[in-house]
């Protein structure tokens, strides 16, 4: 417990993922049967894009499952499956998703990951089946607003690089959300209007589609979040800073990115790499 406490202090206070990983590794020596610890270790390797070590950690859980029975943690199955995808082990990914669904037949995240995996294999028919399965389940249960379901579908296509499809879905979701009512949704968490502006803005900036338009959407998202008593969200600030960078405004970019880092609850590897890239480019321009 002391090692776990130290691990999470290093994660949330120091924001040092390597120290956090070291603490979890120490726990594996003390308690090699702790599936929770192997999961945390693998998850943190994944966060720093060390997918091989993440896979080794997650596969320790598979070995323990043979001894102890299936581990009833649905996030393990989606996390391991996504690692298999990143390592292009698609058949293994689909097998682990099916295993997860047997334990959690109503899990929302698993059909979404199945759709991603199918699209990565250019299997559009299967992907459409999984997407429709997800959408139908959420509609019947009334868990998500319709606009939110469309936005999540856009995330699936964005993840696999089908940017035009994602853009179309995001814009449709925004139009539907604008017709829904109040900016802040008190019924469906995550369905706040500024989220939809952020989705489009981030897509346009990250994929170099239209930086100026993307910045307008991100600024709109920030303005709406402030208007309704939300602080500047680190994801929006990160997109704002990345947009400034692509516009050649390195000072503004660093300011926004470092604000995003300060406001992030924990270490963000993508954000860390962005700050490094902007700092290096700014220094290079000074030396020219």
């Amino acid at each position: 417990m002391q090692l776990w406490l130290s691990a999470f202090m290093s994660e949330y206070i120091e924001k040092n993922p390597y120290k956090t990983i070291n603490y979890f590794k120490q726990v594996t020596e003390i308690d090699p049967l702790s599936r929770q610890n192997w999961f945390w270790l693998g998850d943190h390797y994944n966060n720093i894009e060390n997918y091989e070590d993440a896979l080794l950690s997650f596969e320790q859980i598979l070995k323990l499952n043979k001894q102890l029975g299936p581990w009833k943690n649905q996030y393990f199955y989606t996390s391991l499956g996504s690692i298999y995808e990143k390592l292009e082990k698609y058949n293994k990914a689909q097998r682990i998703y099916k295993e997860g669904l047997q334990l959690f037949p109503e899990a929302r995240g698993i059909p979404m990951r199945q759709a991603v995996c199918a699209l990565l294999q250019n299997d559009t028919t299967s992907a459409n089946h999984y997407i429709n399965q997800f959408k139908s389940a959420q509609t019947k249960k009334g868990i998500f607003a319709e606009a939110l379901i469309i936005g999540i579908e856009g995330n699936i296509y964005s993840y696999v690089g089908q940017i035009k499809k994602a853009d179309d879905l995001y814009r449709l979701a925004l139009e539907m959300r604008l017709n829904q009512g109040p900016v802040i949704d008190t019924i469906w968490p995550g369905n706040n209007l500024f989220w939809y502006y952020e989705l489009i803005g981030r897509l346009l900036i990250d994929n170099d589609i239209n930086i100026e338009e993307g910045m307008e959407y991100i600024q709109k998202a920030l303005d709406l979040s402030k208007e309704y008593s939300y602080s500047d969200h680190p994801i929006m600030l990160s997109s704002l800073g990345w947009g400034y960078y692509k516009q050649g405004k390195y000072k503004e970019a660093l300011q926004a990115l470092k604000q995003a880092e300060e406001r992030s609850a924990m270490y963000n590897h993508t954000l860390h790499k962005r700050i490094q890239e902007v700092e290096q480019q700014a220094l290079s321009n000074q030396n020219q």
Side-chain angles (χ1 to χ4, degrees):
M1 292 300 294
Q2 182 62 51
L3 287 170
W4 279 344
L5 176 60
S6 297
F8 288 111
M9 286 178 66
S10 66
E11 179 175 15
Y12 289 98
I13 298 174
E14 298 178 60
K15 298 181 182 178
N16 185 329
Y18 303 98
K19 284 186 68 174
T20 302
I21 285 171
N22 185 54
Y23 287 121
F24 289 135
K25 288 173 69 176
Q26 291 179 59
V27 176
T28 65
E29 298 172 4
I30 297 171
D31 186 4
L33 298 180
S34 173
R35 290 183 284 194
Q36 182 64 67
N37 188 71
W38 283 113
F39 176 77
W40 281 333
L41 178 59
D43 193 46
H44 284 76
Y45 274 129
N46 181 34
N47 289 343
I48 61 170
E49 300 177 0
N50 184 343
Y51 303 128
E52 293 290 349
D53 282 335
L55 180 58
L56 290 174
S57 300
F58 286 137
E59 288 188 334
Q60 287 295 323
I61 298 174
L62 292 179
K63 293 178 183 178
L64 289 171
N65 286 351
K66 293 179 181 179
Q67 294 178 241
L68 307 173
W71 192 36
K72 294 184 179 180
N73 181 341
Q74 65 175 287
Y75 299 108
F76 162 65
Y77 297 93
T78 52
S79 297
L80 175 55
S82 71
I83 293 295
Y84 281 139
E85 290 168 8
K86 288 166 184 172
L87 296 173
E88 299 184 2
K89 301 176 185 289
Y90 301 122
N91 290 336
K92 285 190 173 183
Q94 290 292 24
R95 281 201 297 272
I96 204 68
Y97 293 145
K98 288 179 182 177
E99 186 178 331
L101 270 181
Q102 289 175 351
L103 293 170
F104 306 99
E106 296 186 357
R108 298 194 298 268
I110 295 177
M112 291 167 58
R113 295 306 321 176
Q114 288 177 304
V116 166
C117 192
L119 288 170
L120 289 171
Q121 298 175 87
N122 298 314
D123 184 353
T124 305
T125 301
S126 294
N128 288 338
H129 167 74
Y130 294 130
I131 290 170
N132 288 334
Q133 188 178 47
F134 164 77
K135 291 167 66 176
S136 175
Q138 306 321 308
T139 302
K140 287 179 182 177
K141 296 173 188 173
I143 295 174
F144 293 145
E146 188 175 0
L148 185 54
I149 294 172
I150 298 298
I152 294 171
E153 183 182 0
N155 285 343
I156 293 172
Y157 287 100
S158 175
Y159 187 89
V160 300
Q162 294 191 23
I163 305 305
K164 178 63 169 61
K165 180 72 171 178
D167 190 23
D168 290 343
L169 287 167
Y170 286 159
R171 292 178 189 274
L172 173 61
L174 174 60
E175 182 181 352
M176 294 169 67
R177 181 61 185 85
L178 285 169
N179 292 329
Q180 186 179 310
V183 172
I184 299 298
D185 192 323
T186 58
I187 299 175
W188 288 287
N191 193 42
N192 297 322
L193 181 57
F194 54 79
W195 180 71
Y196 295 88
Y197 284 103
E198 191 274 329
L199 282 177
I200 299 173
R202 176 154 43 99
L203 187 80
L204 296 176
I205 292 169
D206 287 355
N207 295 282
D208 298 311
I209 300 170
N210 188 325
I211 306 302
E212 286 67 31
E213 184 186 9
M215 292 292 277
E216 291 175 5
Y217 276 101
I218 292 297
Q219 192 59 62
K220 179 70 172 177
L222 280 166
D223 292 343
L224 282 172
S225 67
K226 291 177 187 175
E227 184 179 346
Y228 286 86
S229 302
Y230 284 75
S231 61
D232 292 342
H233 197 286
I235 292 178
M236 296 182 216
L237 285 171
S238 179
S239 294
L240 184 71
W242 199 232
Y244 279 136
Y245 171 60
K246 292 188 174 185
Q247 291 176 329
K249 300 176 181 178
Y250 303 127
K251 181 179 179 180
E252 294 89 340
L254 271 179
Q255 181 180 3
L257 290 170
K258 288 187 174 181
Q259 283 181 348
E261 187 175 48
E262 289 172 4
R263 297 185 184 197
S264 295
M266 63 188 73
Y267 175 80
N268 183 313
H269 195 60
T270 299
L271 182 54
H272 179 72
K273 291 195 299 181
R274 286 182 173 183
I275 290 172
Q276 287 185 317
E277 183 173 339
V278 174
E279 287 177 335
Q280 289 171 1
Q281 187 62 49
L283 183 61
S284 175
N285 280 8
Q286 289 177 359
N287 293 334
Q288 290 178 357

